[in-house]
Amino acid sequence: MRSIYTDLAREAVELDPRLEGVTEEEEKDGEIGISRIRVSTEQAAQRLKKREGNYITLEAPSLVMRPLELFERLSKRIAEELTRLLPNLAENATVLIAGLGNRGITSDSLGPRVVEQLFVTRHITQLMPEAFDHPLRSVCAIAPGVLGVTGVETVEIIKGIKEHVKPDIIIAIDSLAARRSVRIGTTVQIADTGISPGSGVGNMRAGIDSETLGVKVVAIGIPLVVYAATVAQDTIELIADETGLHNDEEKLKELAEKVISEHMGPMIMTPKDIDCMVNDMSRIIADGINMAIHTKDYDDIRALVT
Amino acid sequence: MRSIYTDLAREAVELDPRLEGVTEEEEKDGEIGISRIRVSTEQAAQRLKKREGNYITLEAPSLVMRPLELFERLSKRIAEELTRLLPNLAENATVLIAGLGNRGITSDSLGPRVVEQLFVTRHITQLMPEAFDHPLRSVCAIAPGVLGVTGVETVEIIKGIKEHVKPDIIIAIDSLAARRSVRIGTTVQIADTGISPGSGVGNMRAGIDSETLGVKVVAIGIPLVVYAATVAQDTIELIADETGLHNDEEKLKELAEKVISEHMGPMIMTPKDIDCMVNDMSRIIADGINMAIHTKDYDDIRALVT
Amino acid sequence: MRSIYTDLAREAVELDPRLEGVTEEEEKDGEIGISRIRVSTEQAAQRLKKREGNYITLEAPSLVMRPLELFERLSKRIAEELTRLLPNLAENATVLIAGLGNRGITSDSLGPRVVEQLFVTRHITQLMPEAFDHPLRSVCAIAPGVLGVTGVETVEIIKGIKEHVKPDIIIAIDSLAARRSVRIGTTVQIADTGISPGSGVGNMRAGIDSETLGVKVVAIGIPLVVYAATVAQDTIELIADETGLHNDEEKLKELAEKVISEHMGPMIMTPKDIDCMVNDMSRIIADGINMAIHTKDYDDIRALVT
Amino acid sequence: MRSIYTDLAREAVELDPRLEGVTEEEEKDGEIGISRIRVSTEQAAQRLKKREGNYITLEAPSLVMRPLELFERLSKRIAEELTRLLPNLAENATVLIAGLGNRGITSDSLGPRVVEQLFVTRHITQLMPEAFDHPLRSVCAIAPGVLGVTGVETVEIIKGIKEHVKPDIIIAIDSLAARRSVRIGTTVQIADTGISPGSGVGNMRAGIDSETLGVKVVAIGIPLVVYAATVAQDTIELIADETGLHNDEEKLKELAEKVISEHMGPMIMTPKDIDCMVNDMSRIIADGINMAIHTKDYDDIRALVT
């Protein structure tokens, strides 16, 4: 009966803790917990509904207090993890960054907002390559919108740009859905697997990954919602555990459907101050990406791109 | 054990259907259902946690389809109901409209957004009273902000303005919380009771009503969230009904607390497209108020106030 | 010495009134003045810096009063003109709409804002072609961003999408610059020529037209700024006329440069309420396009796309 | 004939350099130029249209490059200057901050945006005075809106709040108009005189100062526009100087009126990226005020107010 939805590999593993083909290592960087999950078999991938590859999860529950130093610390950690995932990125590589999601829906706007804060340099490296005395990475960035707003599959828009730009790597940013509300706005998932069909808060049917795009895709996401249906399922299972109702699967299913249809429809759960949270988190991710890709002095680039 | 929270008198009555001191009449205006509840005794008011007075509830579930004619129909209905509630409003009356809530939190921004769309005329009636050949109502409007952002109690800000402006009537607009998600963005509550302490999505401790302000206060609200804690309570009671757990109140309480603390924290449930919904609904209310107060030709006034 | 910049063919013709190869017809539709300019020779095109083709200019100075009926009237007029420009558009044609400009710069945000308000249907016609009992036009829409933000030439992003979508027609929306401030927010230009290199408030170097894209491009634009440098040039010429300084071209040039560098830098002139104006005008254009393309009942489509 | 408008005392003095009753001192803090003007006679005040008192002007032309360290440096400088202006502010003083202007008009939105970023503490100091082991200043903040939107004079709204809150000092933030475009977004004016009638981008007729409010008012402003009429006047005077037309005052006046009515109407000149500039500058001011008032550790307070 399990139909609890999560975009986080770490939560999928929590629900299925002793699965073969999955390894997880944990470490600590001050207030930031780091988990490194590797899904290494096709069976594990199918069971978890998370494709084979590496998932790095950064968790910092104290982010809800909005401490400025932790913002900075987290940006740096994101930069370090990205750098580790891209060990051979050339000094003059081209990087295409895609901010997925719908700018007009706060809980789905992380990707487009990150894109607005990136230091984009491709037009400079093309038009005035002599502007710098050292090689500069060529960054371009796009917020392709969502199918319901554009009428075009997101992957097709990215594919068109990719064919023109010929990037060495694509980084895709997306809003995620978690199972537990405590992870909203406090967790960052970085994966070398791209983005799977059907995941994300928006609806995409084709994967945004190396298979469809022919180039490595690193995905960075932050959970910003819990689907209301997930809460209902989860609540009912919890109660089943407590009451011994567990054997009566038919009844449980019926109860879940009743709760969902009466209370939840297509609802999402978010913190009340989601607007402020998306604002903070998009800045943290943009800073992390800017640091990872432009290892040279910020302000030099900033003066040029402004 | 009941602790299900709702700002809607209609939902409070649904939970307590045969209460003495409460009458309810229903009618139909096309797709809009209209309920008129009267709470007429102090006991009923305490039991429902809704003070004595009249509550008009307009429900139009098909609003979720965003049909333009229904938007217009609903604006007109709001105008008609307001006009009925204010039978003796003089042709040259002064009306103060307060848009409560936090502009920076989408689900709490209804009030401030309505205010931005009102036809404000007080400065014209004061500076160029001869601009019209008939008496014009003097409208002023304020979005006082919320305590957490201003550091000042909302009611005190309104009181200061009221003392200067000396309005004949105050209309307060606020975002509400409902019990059932189906009512989000599809229901309008108009009450002649003002706004009670502790209600609304924001937190206000003093009432915004004739008692504190010395002038009649009409409140207009639209539910935009369901508190996650309400969902949990409600789900657990539903399951209790189904499973016969009902007698074991201690256990139920424990379950509810577990669910809320694990899944919900201070979360709210909203539709995914809350941004769009607040936009539409604020326009509908502003149009309704503009029509009710400025019975004369729109475009004449519009040309002056722009 | 002429270096007064305008995106409006009508203003270019005003500056060069008796040019051969240019015809202009005027008519009136209530408060809306309509001018139809045809540039029919290469020489005229070079002289005017407006390529060969048809330019329809709708002017409604009373728009500054924000009268609602005129908004509606103008939307209908835009729909009629678009329909005339696209006489053979099949009932099941595919239309790609590109909203050019920078969403984050108010005076350049017309295109992206129009796109947000379009009825996009391509995903419905593809996934559930049976949803309608008559052929439905397939509309898709994109806001490609500007070079300085994406690092990718706008035309290349559109080209990539066009190759996937294979539209019968492309409609491009853009913010324009005018010579006279009275035209800001009161004028609509519709052209069957596409968008020329270097025009628009944003900077694009490659044209967005049938030559680069291989499909007819209709451009719709509204002037939202006057470049400050245009004002300076224009002022100095006016004074030269009045004072007889005209013969002293060197001195005039020097004066203009002094004024521009001291006062104007890269400044634009806009009305103070540009935010409100862009809002109104984007809605008017979106309504016009929606009407022209979806000749069938609005609300039917709206219910599907929401 | 002089009718060049500026809100900056420094620009008024530039136009009238050797006026009696005015002293000016200049110093340098890295890239920030600091001017301290003192207007000490009634005659000088009338001539400059700037009331008696102290005007500190911080100028940092390289702000247009958006260098992050300069942002920080400028915030600190603002904090230092505020601290100097308020030498006797008690450790537990109450401070009321008023963000003037219209949130919906980008070039007039500085005040309301600063207010959104302040650390407001009055509700904490009132409700849980024991939250800190040392005295905490009590900050409250309001964005009262503008007369055209609220229908109520700004000063009356502030007066109402002041009477309830009883602040020791009021700080008013406002968008200013400059004479020279180079000062837009690069200059901060801090004055101990309050805000005069008729100044500011918005229109206020009553002063917001110690006379009307009975408590000291410090004003902080940043020029974000040049009025188009100022540009025209200035251009024509410049040309008059060059051409010897100066004696013919009638003719000059006529020319100015012609230019203004043909080209400029009620236009403003701003940089194209005014949206981004207001964003940056509001943060710089808010940081400066937060530092000046809350001399204690930021993050402690931040954790409480979030």
Side-chain angles (χ1 to χ4, degrees):
Chain A
M1 196 195 101
R2 210 188 93 209
S3 64
I4 290 162
Y5 185 80
T6 176
D7 285 317
L8 295 174
R10 183 157 161 83
E11 289 190 335
V13 171
E14 276 174 359
L15 287 166
D16 233 333
R18 261 177 303 265
L19 201 60
E20 228 169 287
V22 176
T23 58
E24 176 164 13
E25 279 166 38
E26 301 194 8
E27 56 184 284
K28 203 81 188 155
D29 170 13
E31 291 174 83
I32 305 170
I34 303 163
S35 140
R36 299 178 196 284
I37 289 173
R38 181 168 181 76
V39 178
S40 54
T41 67
E42 180 55 25
Q43 297 95 300
Q46 279 188 359
R47 174 89 185 145
L48 296 173
K49 290 184 187 143
K50 300 281 162 263
R51 71 178 60 186
E52 289 175 68
N54 294 290
Y55 297 84
I56 300 149
T57 314
L58 310 177
E59 289 182 286
S62 48
L63 276 176
V64 295
M65 300 299 238
R66 308 186 59 215
L68 295 182
E69 318 95 343
L70 184 54
F71 283 13
E72 203 182 321
R73 188 70 223 107
L74 186 57
S75 286
K76 283 188 183 147
R77 191 79 227 176
I78 291 170
E80 287 159 26
E81 297 297 337
L82 273 177
T83 306
R84 275 172 73 156
L85 276 180
L86 306 170
N88 301 315
L89 197 64
E91 278 203 317
N92 62 352
T94 294
V95 180
L96 169 58
I97 302 171
L100 308 180
N102 186 341
R103 183 64 171 91
I105 291 181
T106 306
S107 61
D108 196 27
S109 66
L110 182 75
R113 288 193 201 211
V114 168
V115 157
E116 290 165 11
Q117 299 173 71
L118 293 172
F119 288 170
V120 164
T121 52
R122 182 174 171 273
H123 53 310
I124 300 171
T125 58
Q126 292 226 316
L127 302 180
M128 26 190 289
E130 74 296 343
F132 284 93
D133 55 359
H134 50 71
L136 191 68
R137 281 184 186 144
S138 170
V139 173
C140 52
I142 179 91
V146 296
L147 180 61
V149 170
T150 63
V152 186
E153 296 249 351
T154 305
V155 70
E156 295 296 339
I157 297 178
I158 297 175
K159 207 188 281 178
I161 295 166
K162 180 229 128 189
E163 263 148 42
H164 176 66
V165 162
K166 304 199 192 317
D168 298 286
I169 182 84
I170 294 175
I171 300 176
I173 324 293
D174 203 6
S175 309
L176 306 180
R179 179 189 169 209
R180 295 204 179 279
S181 67
V182 73
R183 288 203 169 93
I184 294 184
T186 62
T187 300
V188 181
Q189 175 173 278
I190 306 173
D192 62 5
T193 59
I195 288 178
S196 307
S199 75
V201 175
N203 275 328
M204 285 154 295
R205 274 136 327 115
I208 292 171
D209 51 38
S210 62
E211 216 171 284
T212 53
L213 291 168
V215 55
K216 186 172 179 177
V217 180
V218 170
I220 305 180
I222 291 183
L224 292 171
V225 304
V226 176
Y227 290 127
T230 301
V231 179
Q233 287 286 4
D234 227 16
T235 306
I236 284 167
E237 288 195 33
L238 178 79
I239 294 168
D241 289 345
E242 301 287 323
T243 58
L245 252 179
H246 232 299
N247 300 326
D248 195 349
E249 214 166 289
E250 262 325 286
K251 179 143 210 165
L252 274 179
K253 229 171 162 170
E254 209 181 279
L255 271 176
E257 271 156 28
K258 192 165 176 183
V259 171
I260 292 170
S261 72
E262 269 190 38
H263 286 283
M264 297 186 164
M267 307 293 278
I268 54 173
M269 269 194 9
T270 71
K272 211 181 127 184
D273 65 344
I274 176 85
D275 306 74
C276 176
M277 186 176 272
V278 179
N279 214 30
D280 287 344
M281 298 312 290
S282 62
R283 194 184 177 111
I284 289 171
I285 293 187
D287 283 351
I289 294 175
N290 285 332
M291 279 190 262
I293 295 178
H294 302 299
T295 47
K296 309 306 180 312
D297 185 55
Y298 251 30
D299 282 330
D300 286 4
I301 299 169
R302 195 159 178 161
L304 273 178
V305 299
T306 302
Chain B
M1 194 194 104
R2 211 189 92 209
S3 63
I4 291 162
Y5 185 78
T6 176
D7 285 316
L8 295 175
R10 186 160 159 80
E11 288 190 335
V13 171
E14 277 175 359
L15 287 166
D16 233 332
R18 262 178 300 268
L19 201 59
E20 228 168 287
V22 176
T23 58
E24 176 164 15
E25 279 166 40
E26 301 195 6
E27 56 185 284
K28 202 83 189 158
D29 170 12
E31 292 175 86
I32 306 170
I34 304 162
S35 140
R36 298 177 197 284
I37 288 173
R38 181 168 181 76
V39 178
S40 53
T41 67
E42 180 55 27
Q43 297 94 303
Q46 280 190 357
R47 174 89 186 148
L48 296 173
K49 290 181 187 149
K50 300 284 163 264
R51 73 178 59 186
E52 289 176 70
N54 294 290
Y55 298 85
I56 301 151
T57 314
L58 310 177
E59 290 182 285
S62 47
L63 275 176
V64 294
M65 299 301 237
R66 307 186 60 216
L68 296 181
E69 317 96 345
L70 185 53
F71 284 13
E72 203 183 321
R73 189 69 224 110
L74 186 56
S75 286
K76 283 187 182 148
R77 191 80 226 175
I78 291 169
E80 287 158 28
E81 297 296 339
L82 274 177
T83 307
R84 276 172 72 155
L85 277 179
L86 306 170
N88 301 315
L89 197 64
E91 277 204 315
N92 62 352
T94 294
V95 180
L96 169 59
I97 302 171
L100 309 179
N102 186 341
R103 184 64 172 91
I105 291 181
T106 306
S107 61
D108 195 28
S109 66
L110 183 76
R113 288 192 202 212
V114 168
V115 157
E116 289 166 11
Q117 300 173 71
L118 294 172
F119 289 172
V120 164
T121 53
R122 183 174 170 273
H123 53 311
I124 301 171
T125 58
Q126 292 226 316
L127 303 179
M128 26 189 291
E130 74 298 337
F132 284 93
D133 55 0
H134 50 71
L136 191 69
R137 283 185 185 142
S138 170
V139 173
C140 52
I142 179 91
V146 297
L147 179 61
V149 171
T150 63
V152 186
E153 295 250 351
T154 306
V155 70
E156 295 296 340
I157 297 178
I158 298 175
K159 207 186 281 178
I161 295 165
K162 181 229 126 190
E163 264 148 41
H164 176 66
V165 162
K166 304 200 192 314
D168 299 287
I169 182 85
I170 294 176
I171 299 176
I173 324 292
D174 203 5
S175 309
L176 306 179
R179 180 191 167 208
R180 294 205 179 276
S181 67
V182 74
R183 289 204 169 92
I184 294 184
T186 62
T187 300
V188 181
Q189 175 173 280
I190 307 172
D192 61 5
T193 58
I195 288 178
S196 307
S199 74
V201 175
N203 274 331
M204 286 154 294
R205 275 137 325 116
I208 293 169
D209 51 38
S210 61
E211 216 171 284
T212 52
L213 291 168
V215 56
K216 186 174 178 177
V217 180
V218 170
I220 305 180
I222 291 183
L224 291 171
V225 304
V226 176
Y227 291 127
T230 302
V231 179
Q233 287 286 2
D234 228 16
T235 305
I236 283 166
E237 288 196 32
L238 178 81
I239 293 168
D241 287 345
E242 300 287 324
T243 57
L245 251 178
H246 232 298
N247 299 327
D248 196 349
E249 216 166 286
E250 263 323 287
K251 180 145 211 169
L252 274 179
K253 231 169 158 171
E254 208 181 281
L255 271 176
E257 271 156 26
K258 191 166 177 184
V259 171
I260 292 170
S261 72
E262 268 190 39
H263 286 284
M264 299 187 164
M267 307 291 278
I268 54 173
M269 267 193 11
T270 71
K272 209 180 127 185
D273 64 345
I274 177 83
D275 305 75
C276 177
M277 187 175 272
V278 180
N279 215 29
D280 286 345
M281 298 312 289
S282 63
R283 193 183 177 112
I284 288 171
I285 292 187
D287 283 351
I289 294 175
N290 285 331
M291 279 190 263
I293 295 178
H294 303 298
T295 48
K296 309 303 180 312
D297 185 56
Y298 250 32
D299 282 330
D300 286 6
I301 300 167
R302 195 159 180 166
L304 273 177
V305 298
T306 302
Chain C
M1 194 195 103
R2 212 189 92 207
S3 64
I4 290 163
Y5 185 79
T6 176
D7 286 316
L8 294 175
R10 186 161 160 82
E11 288 190 335
V13 171
E14 276 174 359
L15 288 166
D16 232 333
R18 264 177 299 268
L19 201 59
E20 229 170 285
V22 176
T23 58
E24 175 163 15
E25 280 165 39
E26 301 194 8
E27 56 184 283
K28 202 82 189 157
D29 171 11
E31 291 175 85
I32 305 171
I34 303 163
S35 141
R36 298 178 196 285
I37 288 173
R38 180 167 181 77
V39 179
S40 53
T41 67
E42 181 56 24
Q43 296 95 302
Q46 279 188 358
R47 175 87 186 146
L48 296 172
K49 290 184 187 145
K50 298 283 162 264
R51 71 178 60 187
E52 288 175 70
N54 295 290
Y55 297 84
I56 301 150
T57 313
L58 311 177
E59 289 183 285
S62 48
L63 275 175
V64 296
M65 299 300 236
R66 308 185 59 215
L68 296 182
E69 318 95 344
L70 185 53
F71 284 12
E72 203 182 322
R73 188 69 222 109
L74 186 56
S75 286
K76 283 187 183 147
R77 192 78 226 176
I78 292 169
E80 287 158 28
E81 297 297 337
L82 274 177
T83 307
R84 275 172 72 156
L85 278 180
L86 307 170
N88 302 315
L89 197 65
E91 278 204 314
N92 62 351
T94 294
V95 181
L96 169 58
I97 301 171
L100 308 180
N102 186 341
R103 184 63 171 92
I105 291 182
T106 306
S107 62
D108 195 29
S109 66
L110 182 76
R113 288 194 203 210
V114 168
V115 157
E116 290 166 11
Q117 299 174 70
L118 294 172
F119 289 171
V120 164
T121 52
R122 183 174 170 271
H123 53 311
I124 300 172
T125 58
Q126 293 225 317
L127 302 179
M128 28 190 290
E130 75 298 337
F132 283 92
D133 54 2
H134 50 71
L136 192 69
R137 283 185 184 142
S138 170
V139 173
C140 52
I142 179 92
V146 296
L147 179 61
V149 171
T150 63
V152 186
E153 294 250 353
T154 306
V155 70
E156 296 295 340
I157 297 177
I158 298 176
K159 206 187 283 179
I161 295 166
K162 180 230 124 187
E163 264 148 42
H164 176 66
V165 162
K166 304 197 192 316
D168 298 286
I169 182 84
I170 294 176
I171 299 176
I173 324 292
D174 203 6
S175 308
L176 305 180
R179 179 190 167 210
R180 294 204 179 278
S181 68
V182 73
R183 289 205 169 91
I184 294 185
T186 62
T187 300
V188 181
Q189 175 173 278
I190 307 173
D192 61 5
T193 59
I195 288 177
S196 307
S199 75
V201 175
N203 274 330
M204 286 153 293
R205 277 138 322 115
I208 292 169
D209 51 37
S210 62
E211 217 171 282
T212 53
L213 291 168
V215 55
K216 186 173 178 177
V217 180
V218 171
I220 306 180
I222 291 183
L224 292 172
V225 304
V226 177
Y227 291 128
T230 300
V231 179
Q233 287 286 3
D234 228 16
T235 305
I236 283 166
E237 288 196 30
L238 178 80
I239 293 168
D241 288 344
E242 301 286 323
T243 59
L245 251 177
H246 232 298
N247 300 325
D248 195 349
E249 217 167 285
E250 262 325 287
K251 178 144 211 167
L252 275 179
K253 231 171 156 169
E254 209 181 278
L255 272 176
E257 270 156 27
K258 191 166 178 184
V259 171
I260 292 171
S261 73
E262 267 190 39
H263 284 284
M264 298 185 163
M267 306 294 277
I268 54 173
M269 271 195 4
T270 71
K272 209 180 126 184
D273 65 344
I274 176 84
D275 306 75
C276 176
M277 187 175 271
V278 180
N279 214 29
D280 286 345
M281 298 313 290
S282 64
R283 192 182 178 113
I284 288 171
I285 293 188
D287 283 352
I289 295 175
N290 285 330
M291 278 189 263
I293 295 178
H294 303 299
T295 47
K296 310 304 182 310
D297 184 57
Y298 251 32
D299 282 331
D300 286 6
I301 299 168
R302 195 160 178 161
L304 273 177
V305 299
T306 302
Chain D
M1 195 196 101
R2 209 188 95 209
S3 64
I4 290 163
Y5 186 79
T6 177
D7 286 317
L8 295 175
R10 184 158 161 83
E11 288 190 335
V13 171
E14 276 174 358
L15 287 166
D16 233 334
R18 263 177 302 266
L19 201 60
E20 227 169 286
V22 176
T23 58
E24 177 164 13
E25 280 166 39
E26 300 194 8
E27 55 184 284
K28 202 82 188 157
D29 171 12
E31 291 175 84
I32 306 171
I34 303 163
S35 141
R36 299 177 196 283
I37 288 173
R38 181 167 181 75
V39 178
S40 54
T41 68
E42 180 56 24
Q43 297 95 300
Q46 279 188 0
R47 174 89 185 147
L48 296 173
K49 290 183 186 144
K50 300 282 162 266
R51 71 178 59 186
E52 290 175 69
N54 295 290
Y55 297 84
I56 300 150
T57 313
L58 311 177
E59 289 183 284
S62 48
L63 274 176
V64 295
M65 299 300 236
R66 309 185 60 214
L68 296 182
E69 317 95 344
L70 185 54
F71 284 12
E72 202 181 321
R73 187 71 221 105
L74 186 55
S75 286
K76 282 186 184 148
R77 191 80 226 176
I78 292 169
E80 287 158 27
E81 298 296 337
L82 274 177
T83 306
R84 275 172 72 156
L85 278 179
L86 306 170
N88 301 315
L89 197 63
E91 277 204 317
N92 62 352
T94 294
V95 180
L96 169 58
I97 301 170
L100 308 180
N102 186 341
R103 184 65 171 89
I105 290 182
T106 305
S107 61
D108 195 28
S109 66
L110 182 76
R113 288 194 203 210
V114 168
V115 156
E116 290 165 12
Q117 299 173 71
L118 294 172
F119 288 170
V120 164
T121 52
R122 183 175 171 271
H123 53 311
I124 301 172
T125 57
Q126 292 226 316
L127 302 179
M128 27 190 289
E130 73 297 340
F132 283 94
D133 54 0
H134 51 71
L136 191 68
R137 283 186 184 141
S138 169
V139 173
C140 52
I142 178 92
V146 296
L147 179 61
V149 171
T150 63
V152 186
E153 295 250 352
T154 306
V155 69
E156 295 296 339
I157 297 178
I158 297 175
K159 206 186 283 178
I161 295 166
K162 180 229 126 189
E163 263 147 42
H164 176 66
V165 162
K166 304 196 193 318
D168 298 287
I169 182 83
I170 294 176
I171 299 176
I173 325 292
D174 203 5
S175 309
L176 305 179
R179 179 191 168 207
R180 296 204 179 278
S181 67
V182 73
R183 289 203 169 92
I184 295 185
T186 62
T187 300
V188 181
Q189 175 174 280
I190 307 173
D192 61 5
T193 59
I195 289 177
S196 306
S199 75
V201 175
N203 275 329
M204 286 154 294
R205 276 139 323 115
I208 292 169
D209 50 37
S210 61
E211 217 172 282
T212 54
L213 291 167
V215 56
K216 186 173 179 177
V217 180
V218 170
I220 306 180
I222 290 182
L224 291 172
V225 304
V226 177
Y227 290 127
T230 300
V231 179
Q233 287 286 2
D234 227 17
T235 305
I236 284 166
E237 288 196 30
L238 178 80
I239 293 169
D241 288 346
E242 302 286 325
T243 58
L245 252 178
H246 232 298
N247 300 325
D248 195 349
E249 213 164 291
E250 264 324 286
K251 178 145 210 166
L252 275 178
K253 230 171 159 169
E254 210 180 280
L255 271 176
E257 270 157 28
K258 193 167 176 183
V259 171
I260 291 170
S261 73
E262 268 190 40
H263 285 285
M264 298 186 164
M267 307 292 279
I268 54 173
M269 265 191 14
T270 71
K272 211 181 126 184
D273 64 343
I274 175 85
D275 306 74
C276 176
M277 186 176 272
V278 180
N279 213 29
D280 287 344
M281 298 313 290
S282 63
R283 192 182 178 113
I284 288 172
I285 293 188
D287 283 351
I289 295 175
N290 285 331
M291 278 189 263
I293 295 178
H294 302 297
T295 47
K296 311 304 182 312
D297 185 54
Y298 251 31
D299 282 331
D300 285 5
I301 299 168
R302 195 160 180 162
L304 273 177
V305 299
T306 304

